Amino acid sequence: EMEVGRPGRRFTGLDGLDTSGLDETALEDYRAAFGVGDEYEWALMLQEKVDDAQADPE
Amino acid sequence: DAALKNPNSRRRKKDGIDLDAMADTEIDNMRTRMTLAAKSDADAREKGQPAMHKLKMLPDVVALLNRNTIATSLVDPDINLLEAVRFFLEPLSDGSLPAYNIQKEMFAALGRLPIGKEALIASGIGKVVLFYTRSARPEGSIKRQAERLLSDWMRPILRRSDDYRK
């Protein structure tokens, strides 16, 4: 009943963004404002662990 | 003279310093209360108790965030109320999200506030909103709001520079 694959697309920070033409200041501001993408990685990993356990109780 | 003054008129400009200082103090107090509530919820959770502190004060937080006349102070990076909003939205220590009502109200408020680069950097609110777009847990409407906020906030920062003087 539950979807097995990871649902939805993911914003992964600068990944997938066209950063050409951006100066270093803009990139620094970006990182200061939105991080490098791993700030809440621990929570995502915990969530996936729970989801995996529910999808496959064995 | 006093009789000529309309008590309902906007006095912020005339008595600007006092009113603004009062608003700043009020916001600062709320920031402290919110931070404490987030900590108390984390502690309660660790002890296996229900975490209700954030939920209990949610109406007060929403009432303050909805006051348009003090929007500039609400996003002031020095007062940094938005950092406390981040504490409200952050995942709990077991990776779960805060109560849906908290998510709903905080995202609605974020959508109304004029949040600029300095406020984003001081508060870290952009980092937690980015997390909501990456997690599979939030409901669709919350995820859509998170994505919209990010794109609104990122646009001015990632603006192509046409300043070649440097």
Side-chain angles (χ1 to χ4, degrees), chain A residues 7 9-13 17-23 25-26 29-35 37-44 46-47 50-51, chain B residues 86 90-97 117 120-121 124-128 130-131 133-137 143 147 150 153-154 157-161 166:
Chain A
R9 70 199 162 90
R10 283 184 165 188
F11 250 107
T12 50
L17 281 173
D18 176 14
T19 55
S20 61
L22 287 176
D23 60 27
T25 315
D29 286 346
Y30 176 91
R31 290 187 198 105
F34 303 104
D38 63 356
E39 279 72 14
Y40 293 98
E41 201 61 38
W42 60 270
L44 293 172
L46 282 170
Q47 290 178 355
V50 172
D51 291 347
Chain B
R86 169 164 71 86
E90 278 182 331
L92 310 177
S93 57
D94 60 358
S96 63
L97 299 181
K117 186 177 78 181
L120 287 171
I121 293 172
I125 193 76
K127 295 173 186 172
V128 78
L130 182 66
F131 160 75
T133 66
R134 297 185 66 198
S135 170
R137 293 290 172 86
K143 274 181 94 82
E147 287 173 2
L150 272 190
W153 292 343
M154 283 178 181
I157 292 176
L158 295 179
R159 190 182 48 216
R160 264 52 173 166
S161 174
K166 282 183 191 160

Short mmCIF file of all heavy atoms in Angstrom, two decimals, chain A residues 7 9-13 17-23 25-26 29-35 37-44 46-47 50-51, chain B residues 86 90-97 117 120-121 124-128 130-131 133-137 143 147 150 153-154 157-161 166:
data_model
loop_
_atom_site.label_atom_id
_atom_site.label_comp_id
_atom_site.label_asym_id
_atom_site.label_seq_id
_atom_site.Cartn_x
_atom_site.Cartn_y
_atom_site.Cartn_z
N PRO A 7 9.38 9.10 -2.32
CA PRO A 7 8.44 9.94 -3.05
C PRO A 7 8.95 11.37 -3.25
O PRO A 7 9.73 11.86 -2.43
CB PRO A 7 7.21 9.94 -2.14
CG PRO A 7 7.74 9.67 -0.78
CD PRO A 7 9.03 8.90 -0.93
N ARG A 9 10.29 14.84 -5.53
CA ARG A 9 11.63 15.26 -5.92
C ARG A 9 12.25 16.01 -4.76
O ARG A 9 11.57 16.38 -3.82
CB ARG A 9 11.54 16.16 -7.16
CG ARG A 9 10.93 17.50 -6.88
CD ARG A 9 10.47 18.13 -8.17
NE ARG A 9 9.53 19.19 -7.91
CZ ARG A 9 9.89 20.45 -7.72
NH1 ARG A 9 11.16 20.78 -7.76
NH2 ARG A 9 9.00 21.38 -7.50
N ARG A 10 13.50 16.18 -4.82
CA ARG A 10 14.18 16.81 -3.70
C ARG A 10 14.95 18.03 -4.13
O ARG A 10 15.69 18.00 -5.10
CB ARG A 10 15.16 15.83 -3.08
CG ARG A 10 14.50 14.79 -2.22
CD ARG A 10 15.57 13.97 -1.60
NE ARG A 10 15.01 13.20 -0.50
CZ ARG A 10 15.75 12.51 0.34
NH1 ARG A 10 17.04 12.48 0.21
NH2 ARG A 10 15.19 11.83 1.31
N PHE A 11 14.75 19.05 -3.37
CA PHE A 11 15.60 20.21 -3.49
C PHE A 11 16.89 19.85 -2.79
O PHE A 11 16.88 19.42 -1.64
CB PHE A 11 14.99 21.38 -2.70
CG PHE A 11 14.45 22.47 -3.54
CD1 PHE A 11 13.09 22.64 -3.67
CD2 PHE A 11 15.31 23.35 -4.17
CE1 PHE A 11 12.57 23.66 -4.43
CE2 PHE A 11 14.81 24.38 -4.92
CZ PHE A 11 13.43 24.54 -5.06
N THR A 12 18.00 19.94 -3.40
CA THR A 12 19.23 19.58 -2.70
C THR A 12 20.17 20.76 -2.70
O THR A 12 21.36 20.64 -2.98
CB THR A 12 19.90 18.37 -3.33
OG1 THR A 12 20.01 18.62 -4.73
CG2 THR A 12 19.11 17.12 -3.08
N GLY A 13 19.63 21.91 -2.42
CA GLY A 13 20.50 23.07 -2.34
C GLY A 13 20.99 23.46 -3.72
O GLY A 13 20.22 23.51 -4.66
N LEU A 17 21.23 23.45 -9.63
CA LEU A 17 21.06 24.86 -9.98
C LEU A 17 22.21 25.28 -10.90
O LEU A 17 23.34 24.84 -10.71
CB LEU A 17 21.09 25.73 -8.73
CG LEU A 17 19.82 25.81 -7.90
CD1 LEU A 17 20.11 26.59 -6.63
CD2 LEU A 17 18.71 26.48 -8.68
N ASP A 18 21.89 26.11 -11.83
CA ASP A 18 22.93 26.63 -12.70
C ASP A 18 23.66 27.75 -11.97
O ASP A 18 23.11 28.81 -11.75
CB ASP A 18 22.28 27.17 -13.99
CG ASP A 18 23.31 27.80 -14.90
OD1 ASP A 18 24.53 27.58 -14.65
OD2 ASP A 18 22.90 28.51 -15.82
N THR A 19 24.88 27.45 -11.54
CA THR A 19 25.60 28.44 -10.75
C THR A 19 26.58 29.24 -11.61
O THR A 19 27.31 30.08 -11.09
CB THR A 19 26.38 27.79 -9.59
OG1 THR A 19 27.23 26.77 -10.13
CG2 THR A 19 25.43 27.18 -8.58
N SER A 20 26.60 28.95 -12.91
CA SER A 20 27.53 29.70 -13.75
C SER A 20 27.07 31.16 -13.80
O SER A 20 25.88 31.44 -13.82
CB SER A 20 27.55 29.12 -15.16
OG SER A 20 26.26 29.21 -15.72
N GLY A 21 28.00 32.04 -13.76
CA GLY A 21 27.64 33.45 -13.80
C GLY A 21 27.42 34.04 -12.42
O GLY A 21 27.21 35.23 -12.27
N LEU A 22 27.44 33.18 -11.39
CA LEU A 22 27.29 33.70 -10.04
C LEU A 22 28.66 34.07 -9.49
O LEU A 22 29.61 33.32 -9.63
CB LEU A 22 26.68 32.63 -9.13
CG LEU A 22 25.22 32.33 -9.32
CD1 LEU A 22 24.80 31.19 -8.41
CD2 LEU A 22 24.38 33.56 -9.01
N ASP A 23 28.71 35.22 -8.86
CA ASP A 23 30.01 35.57 -8.28
C ASP A 23 30.14 34.91 -6.91
O ASP A 23 29.19 34.38 -6.36
CB ASP A 23 30.21 37.09 -8.23
CG ASP A 23 29.15 37.76 -7.39
OD1 ASP A 23 28.61 37.11 -6.49
OD2 ASP A 23 28.87 38.95 -7.64
N THR A 25 30.55 36.12 -4.02
CA THR A 25 29.75 36.72 -2.95
C THR A 25 28.34 36.12 -2.92
O THR A 25 27.81 35.82 -1.85
CB THR A 25 29.63 38.25 -3.18
OG1 THR A 25 30.92 38.74 -3.50
CG2 THR A 25 29.11 38.95 -1.95
N ALA A 26 27.76 35.94 -4.08
CA ALA A 26 26.41 35.38 -4.15
C ALA A 26 26.42 33.95 -3.61
O ALA A 26 25.50 33.55 -2.88
CB ALA A 26 25.90 35.40 -5.58
N ASP A 29 26.75 34.09 0.16
CA ASP A 29 25.46 34.47 0.75
C ASP A 29 24.50 33.29 0.73
O ASP A 29 23.78 33.04 1.70
CB ASP A 29 24.84 35.63 -0.03
CG ASP A 29 25.55 36.95 0.27
OD1 ASP A 29 26.31 36.99 1.25
OD2 ASP A 29 25.35 37.92 -0.49
N TYR A 30 24.51 32.58 -0.39
CA TYR A 30 23.62 31.43 -0.53
C TYR A 30 23.91 30.41 0.57
O TYR A 30 23.00 29.92 1.25
CB TYR A 30 23.78 30.77 -1.90
CG TYR A 30 22.94 29.52 -2.01
CD1 TYR A 30 21.64 29.57 -2.49
CD2 TYR A 30 23.43 28.30 -1.56
CE1 TYR A 30 20.85 28.44 -2.53
CE2 TYR A 30 22.66 27.16 -1.59
CZ TYR A 30 21.37 27.23 -2.08
OH TYR A 30 20.59 26.11 -2.10
N ARG A 31 25.20 30.08 0.72
CA ARG A 31 25.58 29.07 1.72
C ARG A 31 25.25 29.54 3.13
O ARG A 31 24.82 28.76 3.99
CB ARG A 31 27.06 28.73 1.62
CG ARG A 31 27.39 27.97 0.35
CD ARG A 31 28.83 27.48 0.34
NE ARG A 31 29.24 27.13 -1.01
CZ ARG A 31 30.04 27.87 -1.76
NH1 ARG A 31 30.55 28.99 -1.30
NH2 ARG A 31 30.34 27.49 -2.99
N ALA A 32 25.46 30.84 3.39
CA ALA A 32 25.17 31.38 4.72
C ALA A 32 23.66 31.32 5.00
O ALA A 32 23.23 31.08 6.12
CB ALA A 32 25.67 32.82 4.82
N ALA A 33 22.86 31.52 3.97
CA ALA A 33 21.41 31.57 4.16
C ALA A 33 20.78 30.18 4.16
O ALA A 33 19.86 29.92 4.92
CB ALA A 33 20.77 32.43 3.07
N PHE A 34 21.28 29.30 3.28
CA PHE A 34 20.60 28.01 3.10
C PHE A 34 21.46 26.81 3.48
O PHE A 34 21.01 25.67 3.41
CB PHE A 34 20.11 27.88 1.66
CG PHE A 34 19.21 29.00 1.25
CD1 PHE A 34 19.66 30.03 0.43
CD2 PHE A 34 17.90 29.07 1.72
CE1 PHE A 34 18.84 31.09 0.08
CE2 PHE A 34 17.07 30.12 1.37
CZ PHE A 34 17.54 31.15 0.56
N GLY A 35 22.71 27.07 3.88
CA GLY A 35 23.59 25.99 4.29
C GLY A 35 24.19 25.26 3.10
O GLY A 35 24.03 25.67 1.96
N GLY A 37 23.53 22.02 2.66
CA GLY A 37 22.62 20.94 2.30
C GLY A 37 22.64 19.76 3.28
O GLY A 37 21.84 18.84 3.16
N ASP A 38 23.56 19.78 4.25
CA ASP A 38 23.62 18.62 5.14
C ASP A 38 23.22 18.96 6.58
O ASP A 38 23.41 18.17 7.49
CB ASP A 38 25.02 18.00 5.12
CG ASP A 38 26.07 18.97 5.64
OD1 ASP A 38 25.72 20.13 5.94
OD2 ASP A 38 27.25 18.57 5.75
N GLU A 39 22.64 20.14 6.78
CA GLU A 39 22.33 20.60 8.14
C GLU A 39 21.37 19.67 8.88
O GLU A 39 21.49 19.47 10.07
CB GLU A 39 21.74 22.02 8.10
CG GLU A 39 22.78 23.12 7.98
CD GLU A 39 23.43 23.18 6.60
OE1 GLU A 39 22.91 22.56 5.65
OE2 GLU A 39 24.48 23.85 6.46
N TYR A 40 20.40 19.13 8.16
CA TYR A 40 19.41 18.27 8.81
C TYR A 40 19.48 16.85 8.26
O TYR A 40 18.51 16.11 8.29
CB TYR A 40 18.01 18.86 8.65
CG TYR A 40 17.85 20.16 9.42
CD1 TYR A 40 17.97 21.39 8.77
CD2 TYR A 40 17.62 20.16 10.79
CE1 TYR A 40 17.86 22.59 9.47
CE2 TYR A 40 17.50 21.35 11.49
CZ TYR A 40 17.62 22.56 10.83
OH TYR A 40 17.51 23.73 11.54
N GLU A 41 20.66 16.51 7.76
CA GLU A 41 20.86 15.17 7.19
C GLU A 41 20.54 14.09 8.22
O GLU A 41 19.97 13.05 7.89
CB GLU A 41 22.31 15.04 6.71
CG GLU A 41 22.54 13.97 5.67
CD GLU A 41 21.75 14.18 4.39
OE1 GLU A 41 21.61 15.34 3.97
OE2 GLU A 41 21.28 13.17 3.83
N TRP A 42 20.91 14.36 9.48
CA TRP A 42 20.65 13.38 10.55
C TRP A 42 19.16 13.04 10.66
O TRP A 42 18.78 11.89 10.85
CB TRP A 42 21.18 13.90 11.90
CG TRP A 42 20.55 15.20 12.33
CD1 TRP A 42 20.99 16.45 12.04
CD2 TRP A 42 19.35 15.37 13.11
NE1 TRP A 42 20.15 17.40 12.59
CE2 TRP A 42 19.14 16.77 13.25
CE3 TRP A 42 18.45 14.48 13.70
CZ2 TRP A 42 18.05 17.29 13.96
CZ3 TRP A 42 17.37 15.02 14.40
CH2 TRP A 42 17.19 16.40 14.52
N ALA A 43 18.31 14.07 10.51
CA ALA A 43 16.87 13.86 10.63
C ALA A 43 16.34 13.08 9.43
O ALA A 43 15.50 12.18 9.57
CB ALA A 43 16.14 15.19 10.77
N LEU A 44 16.86 13.42 8.24
CA LEU A 44 16.43 12.70 7.03
C LEU A 44 16.80 11.22 7.14
O LEU A 44 16.03 10.35 6.76
CB LEU A 44 17.09 13.32 5.79
CG LEU A 44 16.64 14.73 5.43
CD1 LEU A 44 17.50 15.31 4.31
CD2 LEU A 44 15.18 14.74 5.01
N LEU A 46 17.23 9.49 9.94
CA LEU A 46 16.35 8.86 10.93
C LEU A 46 14.97 8.56 10.33
O LEU A 46 14.40 7.50 10.55
CB LEU A 46 16.19 9.77 12.15
CG LEU A 46 17.34 9.79 13.15
CD1 LEU A 46 17.15 10.92 14.17
CD2 LEU A 46 17.44 8.45 13.87
N GLN A 47 14.46 9.52 9.54
CA GLN A 47 13.15 9.34 8.91
C GLN A 47 13.17 8.16 7.95
O GLN A 47 12.25 7.34 7.91
CB GLN A 47 12.74 10.60 8.16
CG GLN A 47 12.41 11.77 9.08
CD GLN A 47 12.05 13.04 8.32
OE1 GLN A 47 12.12 13.09 7.09
NE2 GLN A 47 11.66 14.07 9.06
N VAL A 50 13.12 4.85 9.80
CA VAL A 50 11.77 4.51 10.27
C VAL A 50 10.90 4.03 9.10
O VAL A 50 10.21 3.02 9.19
CB VAL A 50 11.11 5.73 10.96
CG1 VAL A 50 9.65 5.46 11.28
CG2 VAL A 50 11.87 6.09 12.23
N ASP A 51 10.98 4.75 7.97
CA ASP A 51 10.17 4.39 6.80
C ASP A 51 10.55 3.01 6.29
O ASP A 51 9.69 2.21 5.93
CB ASP A 51 10.37 5.42 5.68
CG ASP A 51 9.76 6.77 6.06
OD1 ASP A 51 9.00 6.81 7.04
OD2 ASP A 51 10.04 7.77 5.38
N ARG B 86 12.56 29.08 13.65
CA ARG B 86 13.31 27.90 13.20
C ARG B 86 13.25 26.80 14.27
O ARG B 86 13.03 25.64 13.94
CB ARG B 86 14.77 28.27 12.91
CG ARG B 86 15.67 27.04 12.71
CD ARG B 86 16.99 27.40 12.05
NE ARG B 86 17.89 28.14 12.90
CZ ARG B 86 18.75 27.57 13.78
NH1 ARG B 86 18.79 26.26 13.91
NH2 ARG B 86 19.56 28.32 14.50
N GLU B 90 12.03 22.98 13.50
CA GLU B 90 13.07 21.96 13.39
C GLU B 90 12.54 20.57 13.71
O GLU B 90 11.65 20.41 14.55
CB GLU B 90 14.23 22.28 14.34
CG GLU B 90 15.18 23.31 13.76
CD GLU B 90 16.36 23.60 14.67
OE1 GLU B 90 16.21 23.47 15.90
OE2 GLU B 90 17.40 23.98 14.12
N PRO B 91 13.14 19.53 13.06
CA PRO B 91 12.74 18.17 13.41
C PRO B 91 13.13 17.86 14.86
O PRO B 91 14.10 18.43 15.37
CB PRO B 91 13.53 17.30 12.43
CG PRO B 91 14.67 18.16 11.97
CD PRO B 91 14.17 19.57 12.03
N LEU B 92 12.36 16.99 15.50
CA LEU B 92 12.67 16.60 16.87
C LEU B 92 13.81 15.58 16.86
O LEU B 92 14.21 15.10 15.81
CB LEU B 92 11.40 16.05 17.53
CG LEU B 92 10.18 16.95 17.38
CD1 LEU B 92 8.94 16.32 17.98
CD2 LEU B 92 10.44 18.31 18.04
N SER B 93 14.31 15.26 18.04
CA SER B 93 15.52 14.44 18.10
C SER B 93 15.35 13.05 17.48
O SER B 93 16.33 12.42 17.10
CB SER B 93 15.99 14.31 19.55
OG SER B 93 14.94 13.76 20.32
N ASP B 94 14.11 12.59 17.34
CA ASP B 94 13.90 11.29 16.70
C ASP B 94 13.65 11.43 15.19
O ASP B 94 13.30 10.48 14.52
CB ASP B 94 12.73 10.54 17.35
CG ASP B 94 11.42 11.31 17.24
OD1 ASP B 94 11.43 12.44 16.70
OD2 ASP B 94 10.39 10.80 17.69
N GLY B 95 13.82 12.65 14.69
CA GLY B 95 13.66 12.90 13.26
C GLY B 95 12.24 13.27 12.86
O GLY B 95 12.00 13.65 11.71
N SER B 96 11.30 13.15 13.80
CA SER B 96 9.91 13.47 13.44
C SER B 96 9.70 14.99 13.36
O SER B 96 10.47 15.76 13.93
CB SER B 96 8.95 12.85 14.46
OG SER B 96 9.18 13.40 15.73
N LEU B 97 8.63 15.37 12.67
CA LEU B 97 8.33 16.79 12.50
C LEU B 97 7.47 17.29 13.65
O LEU B 97 6.78 16.51 14.29
CB LEU B 97 7.58 17.00 11.18
CG LEU B 97 8.31 16.60 9.89
CD1 LEU B 97 7.42 16.90 8.69
CD2 LEU B 97 9.64 17.32 9.76
N LYS B 117 17.88 38.83 2.97
CA LYS B 117 19.12 38.06 3.12
C LYS B 117 19.66 38.07 4.56
O LYS B 117 20.02 37.02 5.10
CB LYS B 117 20.17 38.64 2.16
CG LYS B 117 21.45 37.85 2.12
CD LYS B 117 22.41 38.44 1.10
CE LYS B 117 23.10 39.67 1.67
NZ LYS B 117 24.03 40.29 0.72
N LEU B 120 17.69 35.93 6.84
CA LEU B 120 17.91 34.51 6.53
C LEU B 120 19.21 34.02 7.15
O LEU B 120 19.27 32.96 7.78
CB LEU B 120 17.97 34.29 5.01
CG LEU B 120 16.66 34.39 4.24
CD1 LEU B 120 16.93 34.37 2.74
CD2 LEU B 120 15.74 33.24 4.62
N ILE B 121 20.25 34.82 7.00
CA ILE B 121 21.57 34.42 7.50
C ILE B 121 21.57 34.37 9.03
O ILE B 121 22.08 33.43 9.63
CB ILE B 121 22.66 35.37 6.95
CG1 ILE B 121 22.79 35.17 5.44
CG2 ILE B 121 23.99 35.13 7.64
CD1 ILE B 121 23.70 36.17 4.74
N GLY B 124 18.87 31.29 10.18
CA GLY B 124 18.99 29.90 9.72
C GLY B 124 17.65 29.33 9.27
O GLY B 124 17.52 28.13 9.04
N ILE B 125 16.63 30.20 9.12
CA ILE B 125 15.29 29.72 8.77
C ILE B 125 15.29 29.07 7.37
O ILE B 125 14.55 28.13 7.12
CB ILE B 125 14.25 30.87 8.87
CG1 ILE B 125 12.81 30.33 8.82
CG2 ILE B 125 14.43 31.92 7.79
CD1 ILE B 125 12.37 29.70 10.09
N GLY B 126 16.16 29.58 6.49
CA GLY B 126 16.24 29.01 5.13
C GLY B 126 16.70 27.56 5.14
O GLY B 126 16.29 26.76 4.30
N LYS B 127 17.55 27.23 6.13
CA LYS B 127 18.08 25.87 6.21
C LYS B 127 16.97 24.88 6.58
O LYS B 127 16.90 23.78 6.04
CB LYS B 127 19.21 25.81 7.24
CG LYS B 127 20.41 26.64 6.82
CD LYS B 127 21.46 26.71 7.92
CE LYS B 127 22.57 27.68 7.50
NZ LYS B 127 23.51 27.95 8.59
N VAL B 128 16.13 25.29 7.51
CA VAL B 128 15.08 24.36 7.93
C VAL B 128 13.97 24.28 6.86
O VAL B 128 13.39 23.21 6.66
CB VAL B 128 14.52 24.72 9.34
CG1 VAL B 128 13.56 25.87 9.31
CG2 VAL B 128 13.85 23.52 9.97
N LEU B 130 14.56 24.49 3.69
CA LEU B 130 15.17 23.59 2.70
C LEU B 130 14.98 22.13 3.13
O LEU B 130 14.67 21.26 2.31
CB LEU B 130 16.67 23.92 2.57
CG LEU B 130 17.46 23.11 1.54
CD1 LEU B 130 17.01 23.41 0.13
CD2 LEU B 130 18.96 23.39 1.66
N PHE B 131 15.13 21.89 4.43
CA PHE B 131 14.91 20.54 4.97
C PHE B 131 13.48 20.06 4.68
O PHE B 131 13.27 18.90 4.31
CB PHE B 131 15.20 20.52 6.48
CG PHE B 131 14.58 19.37 7.20
CD1 PHE B 131 15.12 18.10 7.10
CD2 PHE B 131 13.45 19.55 7.99
CE1 PHE B 131 14.54 17.03 7.77
CE2 PHE B 131 12.87 18.49 8.66
CZ PHE B 131 13.41 17.22 8.54
N THR B 133 11.68 20.76 2.20
CA THR B 133 11.52 20.37 0.79
C THR B 133 12.19 19.03 0.52
O THR B 133 11.84 18.33 -0.41
CB THR B 133 12.14 21.42 -0.17
OG1 THR B 133 13.57 21.44 0.00
CG2 THR B 133 11.58 22.80 0.07
N ARG B 134 13.15 18.66 1.36
CA ARG B 134 13.88 17.41 1.13
C ARG B 134 13.23 16.22 1.82
O ARG B 134 13.37 15.09 1.37
CB ARG B 134 15.32 17.55 1.64
CG ARG B 134 16.12 18.61 0.88
CD ARG B 134 17.56 18.63 1.34
NE ARG B 134 18.23 17.38 0.98
CZ ARG B 134 19.38 16.96 1.53
NH1 ARG B 134 19.96 17.70 2.46
NH2 ARG B 134 19.94 15.84 1.15
N SER B 135 12.56 16.47 2.94
CA SER B 135 11.96 15.38 3.70
C SER B 135 10.70 14.86 3.00
O SER B 135 9.97 15.63 2.36
CB SER B 135 11.60 15.87 5.10
OG SER B 135 10.81 14.91 5.76
N ALA B 136 10.45 13.57 3.14
CA ALA B 136 9.23 12.99 2.56
C ALA B 136 8.04 13.13 3.51
O ALA B 136 6.92 12.83 3.14
CB ALA B 136 9.47 11.51 2.26
N ARG B 137 8.28 13.63 4.72
CA ARG B 137 7.24 13.65 5.74
C ARG B 137 6.18 14.75 5.61
O ARG B 137 5.02 14.50 5.91
CB ARG B 137 7.87 13.75 7.13
CG ARG B 137 8.66 12.54 7.53
CD ARG B 137 7.72 11.36 7.79
NE ARG B 137 8.47 10.13 7.99
CZ ARG B 137 8.95 9.73 9.15
NH1 ARG B 137 8.77 10.47 10.21
NH2 ARG B 137 9.60 8.60 9.25
N LYS B 143 4.88 21.25 1.82
CA LYS B 143 6.04 21.14 0.92
C LYS B 143 5.98 22.21 -0.18
O LYS B 143 6.99 22.82 -0.51
CB LYS B 143 6.07 19.76 0.27
CG LYS B 143 6.78 18.72 1.11
CD LYS B 143 6.82 17.38 0.42
CE LYS B 143 8.10 17.19 -0.36
NZ LYS B 143 9.22 16.75 0.49
N GLU B 147 8.71 25.11 -0.87
CA GLU B 147 9.39 25.31 -2.15
C GLU B 147 9.20 26.73 -2.67
O GLU B 147 10.13 27.34 -3.21
CB GLU B 147 8.88 24.28 -3.17
CG GLU B 147 9.42 22.89 -2.88
CD GLU B 147 8.81 21.80 -3.74
OE1 GLU B 147 7.98 22.12 -4.62
OE2 GLU B 147 9.18 20.63 -3.52
N LEU B 150 11.42 29.08 -0.62
CA LEU B 150 12.82 28.97 -1.01
C LEU B 150 13.07 29.70 -2.31
O LEU B 150 14.06 30.42 -2.45
CB LEU B 150 13.20 27.49 -1.20
CG LEU B 150 13.67 26.73 0.02
CD1 LEU B 150 14.22 25.39 -0.40
CD2 LEU B 150 14.73 27.49 0.80
N TRP B 153 13.05 33.37 -1.72
CA TRP B 153 14.20 33.85 -0.94
C TRP B 153 15.50 33.73 -1.73
O TRP B 153 16.43 34.53 -1.55
CB TRP B 153 14.33 33.04 0.35
CG TRP B 153 13.23 33.27 1.34
CD1 TRP B 153 12.35 34.32 1.35
CD2 TRP B 153 12.90 32.46 2.47
NE1 TRP B 153 11.49 34.19 2.42
CE2 TRP B 153 11.80 33.07 3.13
CE3 TRP B 153 13.41 31.28 3.00
CZ2 TRP B 153 11.21 32.53 4.28
CZ3 TRP B 153 12.84 30.74 4.15
CH2 TRP B 153 11.75 31.37 4.78
N MET B 154 15.58 32.70 -2.57
CA MET B 154 16.84 32.46 -3.30
C MET B 154 17.03 33.44 -4.45
O MET B 154 18.15 33.81 -4.77
CB MET B 154 16.86 31.04 -3.87
CG MET B 154 17.16 29.96 -2.84
SD MET B 154 17.10 28.33 -3.61
CE MET B 154 17.46 27.30 -2.16
N ILE B 157 19.17 36.46 -3.95
CA ILE B 157 20.55 36.12 -3.56
C ILE B 157 21.33 35.57 -4.75
O ILE B 157 22.50 35.88 -4.94
CB ILE B 157 20.53 35.09 -2.39
CG1 ILE B 157 19.99 35.77 -1.13
CG2 ILE B 157 21.92 34.52 -2.13
CD1 ILE B 157 19.82 34.87 0.07
N LEU B 158 20.66 34.77 -5.57
CA LEU B 158 21.33 34.16 -6.71
C LEU B 158 21.22 35.00 -7.98
O LEU B 158 21.53 34.53 -9.06
CB LEU B 158 20.74 32.76 -6.98
CG LEU B 158 20.98 31.73 -5.87
CD1 LEU B 158 20.34 30.41 -6.23
CD2 LEU B 158 22.46 31.54 -5.61
N ARG B 159 20.80 36.24 -7.78
CA ARG B 159 20.66 37.14 -8.92
C ARG B 159 22.02 37.30 -9.61
O ARG B 159 23.03 37.49 -8.98
CB ARG B 159 20.18 38.49 -8.41
CG ARG B 159 19.77 39.46 -9.46
CD ARG B 159 19.38 40.76 -8.78
NE ARG B 159 20.38 41.18 -7.81
CZ ARG B 159 20.12 41.77 -6.66
NH1 ARG B 159 18.90 41.99 -6.29
NH2 ARG B 159 21.10 42.16 -5.86
N ARG B 160 21.98 37.16 -10.91
CA ARG B 160 23.22 37.36 -11.66
C ARG B 160 23.72 38.77 -11.47
O ARG B 160 22.97 39.73 -11.64
CB ARG B 160 22.98 37.12 -13.16
CG ARG B 160 23.31 35.73 -13.66
CD ARG B 160 22.63 34.68 -12.84
NE ARG B 160 22.84 33.37 -13.46
CZ ARG B 160 22.59 32.23 -12.84
NH1 ARG B 160 22.14 32.25 -11.61
NH2 ARG B 160 22.77 31.10 -13.43
N SER B 161 24.98 38.87 -11.12
CA SER B 161 25.54 40.20 -10.91
C SER B 161 25.91 40.84 -12.23
O SER B 161 26.53 40.22 -13.09
CB SER B 161 26.77 40.11 -10.02
OG SER B 161 27.37 41.36 -9.95
N LYS B 166 34.11 45.05 -9.56
CA LYS B 166 35.01 44.35 -8.64
C LYS B 166 36.11 43.63 -9.41
O LYS B 166 35.82 43.00 -10.41
CB LYS B 166 34.23 43.35 -7.80
CG LYS B 166 33.49 44.04 -6.70
CD LYS B 166 32.77 43.05 -5.83
CE LYS B 166 31.82 43.76 -4.88
NZ LYS B 166 30.79 42.90 -4.37
#
